[in-house]
Amino acid sequence: MRNEIRFSGLGGQGIITAAVILGRAAALYGGKYVVQTQSYGPEARGGASASAVIISDEPIHYPKVTDPHIYAIMSEEAYRKYGSSAPKDAVMLIDPGYVTSRPDCLCYEVPATSEAKARLGKPVFANVVMLGGILEATGIISYEALEHAVLDSVPKGTEENNKKALSIGMELVREQRT
């Protein structure tokens, strides 16, 4: 099994943090081989941001994502740059508050930013909402591994809201499956 995941959006949305958390979950708590890479524009906050994770049962010999089939996209610019050419068998999660385009592949609308604001009081939890959505949509790792990695990665005092954010993301995808 080898999965290539691409996260993309704007600097400040937690794109890189989400990829790091997913990689940590798979490597430290899931027993997988993992490579995580990132790129962002010179503007940092507000500029284009992308990160990728490869999760594999076998050693990874080439560290660049070449054939992603799982996408988490949190801005229209990111969709145009990274998501518009997604293969038909891909799974894409988009934040519909920021992405107006729709792909030809399986697509889940995960209003991560608006739900984080409405239900948790701050948009800073949107990236963890998206991680919960990825987990529900793909089953790529166990819930326990992802929760453990989230709790290891977030600031002290935010653990409960981050656990809720994971649940919200899972719920948003689950609702679209029924």
Side-chain angles (χ1 to χ4, degrees), residues 15-17 19-21 23 34-39 50-54 63:
I15 300 299
I16 293 168
T17 301
V20 169
I21 291 171
V34 174
V35 172
Q36 185 269 325
T37 58
Q38 60 201 35
S39 65
S51 192
V53 180
I54 300 171

Side-chain angles (χ1 to χ4, degrees), residues 73-96:
I73 299 185
M74 297 182 69
S75 77
E76 182 65 23
E77 178 185 353
Y79 175 84
R80 286 193 304 269
K81 189 169 183 177
Y82 299 107
S84 62
S85 62
K88 291 197 184 298
D89 62 342
V91 175
M92 186 178 294
L93 290 83
I94 60 167
D95 188 330

Side-chain angles (χ1 to χ4, degrees), residues 67-144:
D67 190 25
H69 277 76
I70 302 169
Y71 296 80
I73 299 185
M74 297 182 69
S75 77
E76 182 65 23
E77 178 185 353
Y79 175 84
R80 286 193 304 269
K81 189 169 183 177
Y82 299 107
S84 62
S85 62
K88 291 197 184 298
D89 62 342
V91 175
M92 186 178 294
L93 290 83
I94 60 167
D95 188 330
Y98 293 88
V99 182
T100 56
S101 298
R102 297 297 178 268
D104 290 332
C105 63
L106 177 59
C107 179
Y108 293 101
E109 293 187 7
V110 180
T113 306
S114 63
E115 289 293 315
K117 284 181 192 175
R119 295 166 71 174
L120 301 170
K122 295 182 180 178
V124 71
F125 299 106
N127 62 341
V128 178
V129 171
M130 195 61 80
L131 282 171
I134 289 170
L135 176 63
E136 183 68 27
T138 66
I140 195 167
I141 54 171
S142 73
Y143 175 82
E144 294 76 20

Side-chain angles (χ1 to χ4, degrees), residues 151-152 154-159:
L151 296 178
D152 281 354
V154 300
K156 298 296 177 217
T158 66
E159 295 91 349

Side-chain angles (χ1 to χ4, degrees), residues 2-58:
R2 178 184 168 110
N3 286 290
E4 296 186 359
I5 305 100
R6 181 171 317 263
F7 293 84
S8 57
L10 301 173
Q13 288 183 305
I15 300 299
I16 293 168
T17 301
V20 169
I21 291 171
L22 182 61
R24 177 178 286 165
L28 297 181
Y29 307 113
K32 305 291 184 186
Y33 293 93
V34 174
V35 172
Q36 185 269 325
T37 58
Q38 60 201 35
S39 65
Y40 44 89
E43 311 86 8
R45 188 167 294 277
S49 175
S51 192
V53 180
I54 300 171
I55 299 173
S56 179
D57 290 332
E58 304 290 328

